Amino acid sequence: MKGPLFYSKILLFGEYGIIKDSKGLSIPYNFYNGALKVDENPSAVALKSNSSLRTYVTYLEQLQKDQPDLVTFNLELLKSDVARGMYFDSSIPQGYGVGSSGALVAAIYDKYAITKITVLENLTREKLLQLKTIFSQMESFFHGKSSGLDPLNSYLSIPILINSKDHIEATGIPSQSANGKGAVFLLDSGIVGETAPMVNIFMENLKEEGFRKMLKNQFVKYTDACVENFLGGDMKSLFENTKQLSKVVLNNFKPMIPEQFHGVWQRGIDTNDYYLKLCGSGGGGYILGFTQDLEKAKVSLKDYKLEVVYQF
């Protein structure tokens, strides 16, 4: 048995900001994917995944009991598949900010939700919000608090524009140019990050008025501008605003940036070879980079592994 593939995602803009109603833009990233599987001779990794699925089934049972109007699953089938050794076979790195738990949630919903909203129907704003709410509850098992965006992106496999908490829509993004000089890339920090502790630091910081002010007047302002520039294809403004955003993050989100990358981050701002920003909650995993000249960025970052996500 092997289920359909669900892809990883990248939140290009909006990390942390979407908690405070900034805009956000999330795109599927097909380089990584995962699917539900049952094997005759499961590996140690498969057994570990199966064991965490068992705990997850208990959580979903409780969720269905507590909120029967939100979502119902074919729990009998899910339980019997898990008892047969079903696991999530995934190439998506965990703790890297590219949505490993989101793809799993999407796969479970797709196979076991009883009256599910499908990609084929007319996706109204209401349906998108309903899906996001369901996924938010389903994914909370993994992170403590989830926006539901990762599974939504993985499930629909289309770019999603977040205007605010209650206003999301499917969107188109400018088409890629295979030999474009400009690029969005992933930089591997080589450290696994955990989402929950980073979100906790952010929530603690929110208690300070100065931090809230910075968030509204700088972080959200530049994030919103970047989303508009990117969707509008205004690359000159995009890089100006990404540079400002990179500075704001370096100055105010230090705990989310692995220490050995503080200098690399600053160097990008000083040389304009590239600008770095958080990918997901930070604390490790991938760091997202933007450059107007990919070759220049590769030379500047020759000691690191870069993965190109998008070229323009």
Side-chain angles (χ1 to χ4, degrees):
M1 169 198 137
K2 188 167 173 21
L5 288 178
F6 289 90
Y7 296 111
S8 52
K9 66 83 212 163
I10 289 171
L11 187 62
L12 278 187
F13 299 103
E15 68 296 332
Y16 290 109
I18 51 177
I19 298 177
K20 295 307 288 172
D21 260 2
S22 79
K23 283 185 187 291
L25 181 64
S26 186
I27 61 169
Y29 182 43
N30 301 355
F31 187 73
Y32 296 119
N33 56 56
L36 293 167
K37 263 176 97 172
V38 174
D39 283 346
E40 291 302 312
N41 298 307
S43 65
V45 174
L47 291 169
K48 191 175 169 213
S49 166
N50 174 258
S51 154
S52 69
L53 272 181
R54 284 170 196 267
T55 324
Y56 189 43
V57 171
T58 313
Y59 171 82
L60 293 179
E61 250 185 309
Q62 194 57 48
L63 176 64
Q64 181 169 312
K65 217 178 269 171
D66 295 344
Q67 303 188 50
D69 297 340
L70 180 70
V71 63
T72 51
F73 301 99
N74 183 341
L75 288 170
E76 293 318 302
L77 179 62
L78 175 55
K79 281 178 177 170
S80 79
D81 284 347
V82 169
R84 276 172 47 222
M86 183 175 77
Y87 69 102
F88 192 56
D89 181 27
S90 166
S91 65
I92 307 169
Q94 290 187 349
Y96 262 66
V98 286
S100 52
S101 59
L104 167 60
V105 167
I108 295 278
Y109 177 83
D110 180 62
K111 187 160 195 307
Y112 301 100
I114 289 172
T115 46
K116 64 177 187 185
I117 295 168
T118 70
V119 190
L120 302 171
E121 58 197 272
N122 181 15
L123 286 168
T124 60
R125 198 171 121 186
E126 285 67 35
K127 283 180 186 166
L128 280 173
L129 276 176
Q130 193 189 341
L131 267 177
K132 182 174 175 283
T133 307
I134 292 167
F135 288 149
S136 152
Q137 294 294 319
M138 286 177 71
E139 201 185 28
S140 290
F141 170 78
F142 301 97
H143 293 323
K145 187 181 193 306
S146 157
S147 67
L149 271 171
D150 288 7
L152 185 64
N153 206 293
S154 193
Y155 182 62
L156 299 174
S157 237
I158 48 178
I160 291 165
L161 169 64
I162 303 106
N163 291 298
S164 66
K165 270 196 194 68
D166 306 321
H167 183 190
I168 55 175
E169 56 187 305
T171 186
I173 55 176
S175 55
Q176 295 211 52
S177 137
N179 44 13
K181 275 181 81 169
V184 180
F185 60 86
L186 292 173
L187 179 68
D188 189 346
S189 73
I191 304 159
V192 173
E194 279 192 54
T195 299
M198 294 298 131
V199 173
N200 290 342
I201 293 171
F202 177 75
M203 290 309 196
E204 276 304 305
N205 286 345
L206 276 182
K207 292 175 183 170
E208 295 166 25
E209 195 194 343
F211 187 83
R212 289 199 303 271
K213 238 186 193 149
M214 172 280 302
L215 207 66
K216 181 168 175 260
N217 300 337
Q218 297 176 42
F219 189 82
V220 171
K221 174 185 149 188
Y222 293 124
T223 297
D224 287 1
C226 286
V227 171
E228 281 161 23
N229 299 156
F230 185 83
L231 291 178
D234 180 355
M235 295 308 164
K236 184 177 178 292
S237 303
L238 173 70
F239 282 103
E240 287 167 7
N241 286 312
T242 304
K243 179 176 185 173
Q244 296 306 324
L245 188 56
S246 186
K247 280 186 195 167
V248 171
V249 172
L250 184 59
N251 292 334
N252 299 282
F253 290 79
K254 278 252 165 59
M256 286 77 166
I257 304 170
E259 211 164 305
Q260 59 271 48
F261 285 90
H262 291 182
V264 180
W265 200 289
Q266 184 65 54
R267 194 168 74 229
I269 294 166
D270 294 343
T271 60
N272 296 314
D273 287 353
Y274 56 87
Y275 305 125
L276 300 180
K277 61 186 291 298
L278 296 173
C279 178
S281 57
Y286 284 120
I287 293 167
L288 203 51
F290 286 73
T291 178
Q292 300 182 72
D293 187 332
L294 183 57
E295 291 317 308
K296 218 185 223 175
K298 279 181 176 168
V299 172
S300 246
L301 295 163
K302 62 180 187 309
D303 301 336
Y304 302 94
K305 198 171 126 240
L306 302 193
E307 276 175 37
V308 175
V309 171
Y310 187 91
Q311 268 180 280
F312 43 82

